[in-house]
Structures are given as C-alpha cells and as structure tokens.
C-alpha cells in the first residue's frame, strides 16, 4: 500500500487561509465571529497556542482590527478575519493602518449585502469597499483567491506584501471559496518567499519612522526595540509627529499613495487562459472565475474563440493588463456577483473601446457556466 | 526628579488650555514611572482621541495615538505581542466610556495586563464642550443647552462591576493621592484603572459658571470625601460631592497568565 503523502490535505478554503497565515509566520489573530469567516478564527484558536502564538476573540470587529494593528506594532505578524458587516466596522482602523503604515492582513470572506444581507450565501459586492471603505486617499492591496490552494498561497502573499510595503492587505475571499473543500498539496515553506518588514539600521536618535527615502517605504521599528517614536493617525511628518505644514503633509500623503502604485508591477497578478487568439474575453475573479473557466472551455469545444482573464489582484487594479490582453478581442464580458463594480473599472481601463457585457447576480446564487456561455454566444 | 528627561521638549508648547488639569496628570504619571525606575524603552503609552489623548505625543516613550475610543483594543494587541512592555492607556471620559465603552468593560472583564488612566473632565473638551457620558445631570454642554437630560456614568463603579483588578479615583487637586493611586495601578498585574477628575475650564467650567481652573480645583478641594467616610453618608449628604479613594484592590489572575496556561495546554496536547 502506498504511504499517504502528509503534505496532501483536504482543506476548506477558510482552513487553508488559517494554515497559510501560520505558514507565513502569523502569530497573532484577533477576531469576532461572523459567517462565513468563523472557521478561520476557530482553526487559529486551536493552532496558534500550539505554536506559542496568540488568538483572541475581541468584543467586536473594531476591537479586533485595533488589536491586530497593535500586535503588529509590537513586532508580531498579525491578522484578522471577517465578513461584510464586520468589514464595515473595521474600516476606520484599516485607515489607521494605512496612514500609520503598519503591516497587517484583513480577510473578508464576502457574503451577500448590504447590511446583514445573506449571511450564508456568496457575493462579491465588497470590491469597492475594499478599495474605498475607509475615508480619505489611501493605498490598499486586495487579493482575490479562486480556489482552496490559492487561498493558502494568497494568504502567504498577503503577509509578504503587507510586510514589504508596510500596509494593510485585504484578502477578498467569498463564501464559495471559503467553504469549498478541495485537495491541497501544501508547498514547502522554503518556496513561500517569506518576507519581513525592513528594520532601521540607524541609531535611535537618527530614526525617522516615515522618512522620504528613495524606496518610499521607510524602515519600521517595533515598539520595545529601543526606537522610541510616535505613531498617530493624524497627518504627520517624517518624524511621525503631527504637523499642519501643508508641504510636509502633501509630501507624506503623496509618498503614502505612491508607494503602492509605484510597485504595482511587482504586486499585480492575473491569470489568463486561451487569450492568445481570443475574440471574446471573459473577465472575472474569485469563485465566479470557476464558472467562467467551465464556460470558456465549453465554448472552445464548440470552436468559439473565448478566453479567460482572472484577476488575482483586485487592487491595485490590473488595468494595464486588462488593456493589453483585451487589445485584440471584439467583446468583453465581466462576470461578477455584484452589480458591476469590476465592470465599471474594466470599462475605464479599456476606455470603453469595446463593448463590455455585464453578467451580474446578487441573489446569493453563484453565476452558472451556462449563464456565461449564453453571454459568450449571444450576438450583442 | 527631572521631568525634562521624560518629555519631548521639542513638542512644547502643549495644546492644553490655561487651567486645564490634564498636564497635572501627565506629571503624576512621570513621577510614578520615575519612582519605579522603568526604562523608557520598555514603556508604551497608548491613547485614543481627545485633549487627554494628546498626552503621548509629549512623552519620550513608545507612543501610540490611535482612533477615538479604541486605545484599549490597540493596547491589547500590543501587550500580547510584547508582554515585556509596560502598557499604559490614557483616555478621556468620552473616549473611554462613550465610543470606547465596550472596549473598557471588556478589558476589565478580561483583566488584560494594562493600566488605564482616565482623565474625567465631564465633557468633550477637544471638540468644544459637547455632553459626555459623565456630564452630571442638568449641567450644560454645547449639545445640552437646556441641561443634560441623562444620568452620568460612575466610571470607577463601572470598572469595578466589570471586573478590574484595581480601581481608584482622585482629583488633580489631591496630588498625593493621585500619585499614590497611579503608582499602585502601574504595579498591579491585570487591568488597573485610575480615574482622575480634572477641570476643563474652557469647555465645561465656563458654560456651567464654575469659574477658571483654580476655582474648579478649589471646588475639588472643598467637596471631596473619602470613600470610607462616604459609606456612612446619606445620598442627600453626598449630593454634589466627589467621592475618592480605592474602590478595588484585589489579586486575580491576569489575561496573560491565563493565556500562558492555554499555550501550555495546547502544547501538551491535552
Ligand atoms: C470616530 C470619531 N468620532 C468623533 C470624533 C471627534 N472627537 C474627537 S475628540 C472627541 C471627544 C473627546 O472627549 P474626551 O474623550 O472626553 O476627551 P477630552 O478632550 O475631554 O480630554 C470627539 C467626539 C473622532 N475623532 N472620531
Ligand atoms: S478644552 Fe478643556 S480639556 Fe481641552 S485642553 Fe482646554 S481645558 Fe483641557
């Protein structure tokens, strides 16, 4: 009899998220229960203490977000996970993490909204909230996994990006991916490219926590390491202290927003299939892209030149990639479980040079391969 | 002692008004830290938003100025991540018991290893004198022009009921007591709370015809009753009086100790 490979697991998406976080070095999780994300908290409450880490169930999502940021500032890789209503509650503190440049990972397993909406059904309606949920101009990174294995990989990537760019990173999963069980071959830890925040190399007196260095990403000292500095959500200068100086504020906020835009090529990932000769391009993300894949394969079997473009990174938006890949197609279809949040961005990225057909569903049901196939063959 | 050693002198002058009591509390915290001989590198001072919450900016510790009401949440993560840090939270009455009220009672219930010092001036100072959860009934505020229709919280009693390990209240006038209580609180393991009554002449005193900072402190001097004496007094006799003293001083297992047990259990496979 063959000995079973211990690296092969049957995991649910949410379990893969928890395991990915642990592999990435996450040793602090603060959460508040909400369907369909709670399994992430449950798994971590079991697994973290075994590794000497900490799990804490806070009194609400606002507190969970705050504790996550506090832990990261204390030098521990930290994550929180939630869904729609809880994601709304976290927004003010996500803005704090962006403004104070504190790495952390925020998982949003999307469910139907608005409000309490559809707790146990999937949706993809938080695309714009992930980008603009907190007030003010700020940078953000959001990744959207489409399978269980990818949930693992992207959770690791979320930590790596958070650490590298000193920013909150949102893992925009959805109920289907979160609750799907699939086979996962766990990759070796050496392959994960684990990244840690850049540390100051100067003596404490010279440390500028928000210095305008050439990389736009200032080194980060953890509290307790001898660099006594000030962290605030107020507009601050490079020393970290509040300022009302318009030039300094403008310079800092421009750097803050630039630091992600500038590295977008290193961050953005898309997946393409059958796009070389495609005449019809279907763009999607997350669980919906699974239906798209089926529909595109069905179309190809019938000799229809359809292709798939799956956005793995949602923010920064892969506009450049979409523009390039769609250059030679005659029709674009955007399939998403919302009323066109992605389609709007796609139209913008392609400057409305092609017809963009929208497939939108917001009733908790997944978009089926058939619905997409019909849109592919329809003569618009 | 050398206060300047602890202050970020280049951040002066501070934003506080003439007669504001907040600076008196800041000095008390510094005296207590100095007495304990703690290394500045090992102290984190965390706040929310408000005049009181500007304290950390002036002090040469690891300082974290968070969002309104949320200091305890951030501080909880920070303390867990680095238990070596002495984590002190400073907060206004609005910050601590309105927007942050939920975090406050849960920090007490959890008995997280943090000291919280609440600057209670009965008002939202920073935003111009709106009514707060501790504004006494019938007093005026910019959003209570006909007098406050609500009853106030008693912060110390709230902390006591929620399970804090140490709870004490003083006024800024009673500096000796204030130092004593803050010093005690800093040395406790678990969640310790010191409520300090502090005048806000600008946003509260003026509107309620209580005079300037000195007048308001004179009121504190003349109307404060110790908790032991207050126990034998009637409600009528206590009307308008300030009751100070140690409300709670007990030993109970702190959050971090409890979680260490969780880690032990998890690692032994039980
Ligand atoms: C989410 C949010 N709501 C409201 C405010 C506005 N705000 C700033 S300070 C404050 C009240 C401060 O009062 P208190 O906590 O009692 O402190 P004090 O200024 O009196 O020391 C308010 C309402 C804010 N900054 N954030
Ligand atoms: S407004 Fe009140 S609390 Fe704020 S600094 Fe002035 S006196 Fe102090």
């Amino acid at each position: 009899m063959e000995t079973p490979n211990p690296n092969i697991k049957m995991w649910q998406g949410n379990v893969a998220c928890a395991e990915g976080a642990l592999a990435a070095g996450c040793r602090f999780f603060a959460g508040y229960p909400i369907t369909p994300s709670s399994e992430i908290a449950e798994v971590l409450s079991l697994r973290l203490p075994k590794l000497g880490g900490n799990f804490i169930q806070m009194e609400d999502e606002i507190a969970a977000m705050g504790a996550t940021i506090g832990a990261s500032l204390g030098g521990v890789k930290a994550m929180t996970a939630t869904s729609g209503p809880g994601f709304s509650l976290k927004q003010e503190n996500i803005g704090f993490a962006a403004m104070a440049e504190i790495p952390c990972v925020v998982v949003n397993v999307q469910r139907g909204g608005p409000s309490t909406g559809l707790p146990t059904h999937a949706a993809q309606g938080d695309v714009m909230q992930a980008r603009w949920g907190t007030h003010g101009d700020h940078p953000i990174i959001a990744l959207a996994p489409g399978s269980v294995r990818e949930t693992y990989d992207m959770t690791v990537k979320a930590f790596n990006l958070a650490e590298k760019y000193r920013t909150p990173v949102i893992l925009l999963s959805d109920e289907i991916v979160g609750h799907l069980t699939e086979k996962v071959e766990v990759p070796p830890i050496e392959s994960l490219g684990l990244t840690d925040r850049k540390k100051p190399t100067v003596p404490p007196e010279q440390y500028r926590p928000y210095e305008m260095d050439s990389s736009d990403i200032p080194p980060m000292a953890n509290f307790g390491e001898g660099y006594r500095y000030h962290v605030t959500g107020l507009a601050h200068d490079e020393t970290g202290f509040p300022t009302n100086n318009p030039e300094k504020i403008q310079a800092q906020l421009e750097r803050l927003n630039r630091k992600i835009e500038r590295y977008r090529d290193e961050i953005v990932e898309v997946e393409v299939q059958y796009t070389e000769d495609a005449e019809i391009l279907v763009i999607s993300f997350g669980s919906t892209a699974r239906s798209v894949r089926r529909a595109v394969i069905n179309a190809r079997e019938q000799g229809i030149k359809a292709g798939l473009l799956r956005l793995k990174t949602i923010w920064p938006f892969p506009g450049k990639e979409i523009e390039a890949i769609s250059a030679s197609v005659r029709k674009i279809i955007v399939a998403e479980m919302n009323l066109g949040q992605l389609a709007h961005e796609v139209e913008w990225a392609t400057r409305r040079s092609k017809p963009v057909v929208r497939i939108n569903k917001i009733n908790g049901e997944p978009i089926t391969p058939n619905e997409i196939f019909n849109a592919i063959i329809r003569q618009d | 002692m050398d206060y300047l050693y602890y202050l970020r002198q280049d951040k002066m002058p501070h934003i506080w008004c003439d007669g504001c009591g907040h600076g008196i509390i800041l000095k008390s915290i510094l005296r207590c830290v100095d007495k304990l001989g703690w290394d500045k590198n090992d102290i984190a001072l965390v706040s929310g938003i408000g005049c009181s919450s500007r304290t950390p900016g002036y002090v040469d510790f690891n300082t974290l100025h968070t969002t309104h009401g949320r200091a305890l949440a951030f501080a909880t993560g920070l303390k867990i991540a680095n238990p070596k840090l002495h984590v002190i939270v400073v907060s206004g009455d609005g910050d601590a018991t309105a927007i942050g009220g939920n975090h406050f009672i849960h920090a007490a219930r959890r008995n997280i290893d943090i000291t919280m010092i609440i600057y209670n001036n009965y008002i939202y100072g920073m935003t111009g004198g709106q009514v707060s959860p501790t504004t006494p009934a019938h007093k005026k505020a910019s959003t209570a022009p006909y007098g406050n229709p609500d009853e106030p919280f008693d912060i110390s009693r709230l902390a006591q009921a929620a399970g804090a390990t140490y709870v004490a209240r003083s006024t800024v006038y009673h500096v000796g007591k204030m130092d004593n209580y803050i010093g005690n609180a800093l040395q406790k393991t678990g969640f310790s709370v010191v409520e300090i009554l502090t005048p806000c002449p600008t946003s509260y005193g003026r509107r309620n015809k209580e005079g300037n900072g000195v007048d308001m402190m004179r009121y504190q001097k003349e109307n404060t009753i110790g908790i032991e004496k207050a126990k034998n007094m009637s409600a009528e006799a206590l009307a308008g009086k300030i009751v100070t003293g140690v409300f709670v001083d007990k030993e109970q297992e702190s959050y971090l100790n409890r979680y260490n047990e969780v880690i032990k259990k998890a690692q032994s496979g039980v």
Side-chain angles (χ1 to χ4, degrees):
Chain A
M1 208 177 83
E2 250 182 278
T3 45
N5 180 343
N7 294 324
I8 299 209
K9 311 278 186 192
M10 281 302 285
W11 272 345
Q12 194 199 55
N14 282 343
V15 175
C17 175
E19 293 292 340
L22 295 174
C26 172
R27 291 296 178 270
F28 181 90
F29 178 93
Y32 188 82
I34 185 165
T35 305
S37 76
S38 297
E39 295 84 3
I40 300 170
E42 287 164 356
V43 170
L44 289 172
S45 72
L46 185 73
R47 296 271 283 121
L48 271 169
K50 286 186 198 292
L51 301 169
N54 283 75
F55 165 89
I56 187 165
Q57 182 170 317
M58 296 300 286
E59 51 275 15
D60 59 31
E61 288 87 347
I62 303 172
M65 191 66 231
T68 300
I69 298 168
S72 181
L73 191 56
V76 175
K77 289 186 185 176
M79 180 170 95
T80 183
T82 188
S83 182
F87 193 51
S88 294
L89 285 177
K90 289 183 192 295
Q91 293 300 334
E92 187 192 10
N93 284 342
I94 291 175
F96 184 92
M99 182 66 151
E101 301 182 62
I102 300 180
C104 55
V105 174
V106 182
V107 183
N108 175 13
V109 186
Q110 294 171 95
R111 67 189 226 181
S115 189
T116 311
L118 291 161
T120 59
H121 290 75
Q124 296 176 309
D126 302 346
V127 171
M128 284 299 161
Q129 193 188 18
R131 180 65 193 88
W132 297 115
T134 196
H135 57 282
D137 290 292
H138 61 279
I140 204 80
I141 296 174
L143 313 176
S147 69
V148 174
R149 166 65 198 263
E150 200 175 60
T151 303
Y152 183 93
D153 294 343
M154 275 192 186
T155 307
V156 173
K157 183 176 175 182
F159 274 97
N160 288 346
L161 295 176
E163 292 287 319
K164 184 160 183 199
Y165 300 111
R166 281 191 71 174
T167 189
V169 176
I170 290 157
L171 188 78
L172 203 57
S173 182
D174 61 56
E175 190 275 338
I176 294 173
V177 171
H179 282 164
L180 187 72
T181 296
E182 286 180 320
K183 189 176 100 173
V184 175
E185 185 167 354
V186 182
I189 194 112
E190 315 80 66
S191 71
L192 302 180
L194 296 187
T195 309
D196 290 317
R197 60 196 67 168
K198 183 168 70 179
K199 290 300 198 57
T201 50
V202 296
E205 323 72 83
Q206 288 169 25
Y207 179 51
R208 297 275 174 275
Y210 301 97
E211 78 178 327
M212 308 280 292
D213 78 352
S214 58
S215 73
D216 285 331
I217 306 154
M220 176 173 169
N222 300 321
F223 271 18
E225 293 179 340
Y227 293 84
R228 296 184 305 274
Y229 68 108
H230 189 57
V231 177
T232 178
L234 283 169
H236 43 266
D237 62 16
E238 60 180 7
T239 66
F241 288 94
T243 178
N244 288 322
N245 178 314
E247 285 85 40
K248 288 183 177 174
I249 295 168
Q250 184 83 19
Q252 276 296 333
L253 290 179
E254 281 181 3
R255 176 188 61 75
L256 184 71
N257 286 278
R258 185 172 64 227
K259 80 173 176 182
I260 302 301
E261 241 353 276
R262 163 175 176 185
Y263 296 103
R264 54 98 55 212
D265 288 351
E266 291 175 23
I267 299 167
V268 171
E269 276 187 272
V270 299
E271 186 208 332
V272 290
Q273 204 175 358
Y274 304 123
T275 51
E276 313 77 40
D277 61 343
E279 294 169 1
I280 299 163
L281 181 68
V282 191
I283 303 178
S284 194
F285 70 107
S287 63
T288 305
R290 301 170 73 97
S291 292
V292 172
R293 195 185 308 280
R294 182 75 258 159
V296 166
I297 291 169
N298 291 350
R300 283 277 165 179
E301 281 168 0
Q302 302 203 10
I304 302 164
K305 289 188 171 165
L308 157 77
L309 170 55
R310 182 168 70 89
L311 310 187
K312 298 167 76 170
T313 311
I314 304 288
W315 304 112
F317 194 70
K320 218 165 71 176
E321 290 74 7
I322 291 172
E323 198 187 4
I325 294 161
S326 66
S328 53
V329 308
R330 79 182 149 75
K331 171 166 109 173
I332 297 172
I333 298 169
V334 181
E336 53 187 327
M337 296 169 72
N338 62 54
L339 289 182
Q341 297 184 26
L342 205 66
H344 182 83
E345 290 295 309
V346 169
E347 283 176 348
W348 195 80
T350 55
R351 300 180 177 80
R352 293 177 187 264
S353 59
K354 325 254 154 170
V356 174
V357 175
R358 299 171 177 219
I359 306 178
N360 305 123
K361 221 173 186 181
I362 52 167
N363 62 2
E365 295 285 305
I367 298 173
T368 63
N370 245 344
E371 288 168 297
I372 298 158
F373 182 79
N374 290 340
I376 292 173
I377 59 172
R378 204 184 314 135
Q379 297 299 322
D380 303 274
Chain B
M1 68 163 278
D2 180 12
Y3 291 103
L4 296 183
Y5 172 72
Y6 293 99
L7 291 173
R8 289 170 169 151
Q9 296 170 52
D10 57 331
K11 300 304 162 205
M12 299 294 160
H14 57 66
I15 64 157
W16 297 319
C17 310
D18 287 356
C20 177
H22 289 358
I24 304 174
I25 306 174
L26 164 57
K27 280 183 82 175
S28 177
I29 296 170
L30 297 184
R31 277 193 298 277
C32 293
V33 164
D34 191 68
K35 214 166 164 188
L36 290 167
W38 287 352
D39 187 330
K40 293 192 283 190
N41 287 317
D42 296 338
I43 305 172
L45 192 59
V46 185
S47 69
I49 301 288
C51 296
S52 35
S53 288
R54 286 302 187 95
T55 305
Y58 305 124
V59 189
D60 186 22
F61 300 149
N62 302 281
T63 55
L64 174 59
H65 179 225
T66 70
T67 46
H68 190 28
R70 317 302 174 192
L72 277 172
F74 284 72
T76 297
L78 180 60
K79 179 69 187 182
I80 291 173
N82 187 349
K84 280 201 331 267
L85 288 172
H86 304 290
V87 178
I88 307 169
V89 168
V90 289
S91 186
D93 41 283
D95 195 64
T97 66
I99 193 164
N102 200 27
H103 311 308
F104 181 52
I105 56 175
H106 285 278
R109 171 184 66 83
R110 211 174 266 134
N111 201 27
I112 181 78
D113 312 51
I114 288 171
T115 297
M116 185 177 194
I117 298 161
I118 302 177
Y119 301 30
N120 183 0
N121 57 11
Y122 306 141
I123 203 80
Y124 285 8
M126 172 144 273
T127 43
Q130 295 82 10
V131 73
S132 125
T134 60
T135 307
H138 315 302
K139 292 287 184 180
K140 287 193 173 148
S142 68
T143 49
Y146 304 107
N148 178 19
D150 296 354
E151 281 297 321
F153 267 142
D154 179 328
I155 294 181
S156 290
R157 296 277 183 216
L158 184 62
Q160 176 176 21
T165 282
Y166 182 87
V167 183
R169 174 159 60 214
S170 176
T171 76
V172 289
Y173 174 79
H174 299 89
V175 172
K177 277 190 179 171
M178 173 166 59
D179 281 18
N180 195 0
Y181 300 159
I182 293 176
N184 288 344
L186 292 176
Q187 290 174 79
K188 293 295 284 194
T189 316
F191 190 60
S192 52
V193 180
V194 185
E195 177 192 357
I196 308 290
L197 303 179
T198 167
C200 169
T202 307
S203 294
Y204 183 80
R206 213 172 26 152
R207 193 170 274 114
N208 286 293
K209 306 205 167 33
E210 293 188 6
N212 61 23
V214 176
D215 299 325
M216 292 176 81
M217 285 208 270
R218 188 174 299 116
Y219 184 91
Q220 292 184 334
K221 174 186 174 192
E222 289 166 0
N223 292 279
T224 295
I225 293 170
I227 189 169
E228 288 310 321
K229 192 169 169 206
K231 275 181 188 155
N232 303 316
M233 289 170 66
S234 66
E236 298 83 71
L238 281 171
K241 301 289 181 206
I242 299 165
V243 178
T244 60
V246 178
F247 289 71
V248 181
D249 187 358
K250 60 184 178 185
E251 296 304 321
Q252 55 185 4
E253 233 182 339
S254 76
Y255 179 83
L256 289 184
N257 288 335
R258 283 274 175 94
Y259 203 84
N260 283 336
E261 287 166 26
V262 169
I263 291 177
K264 266 192 217 136
K265 267 192 202 165
Q267 295 186 340
S268 68
V270 177

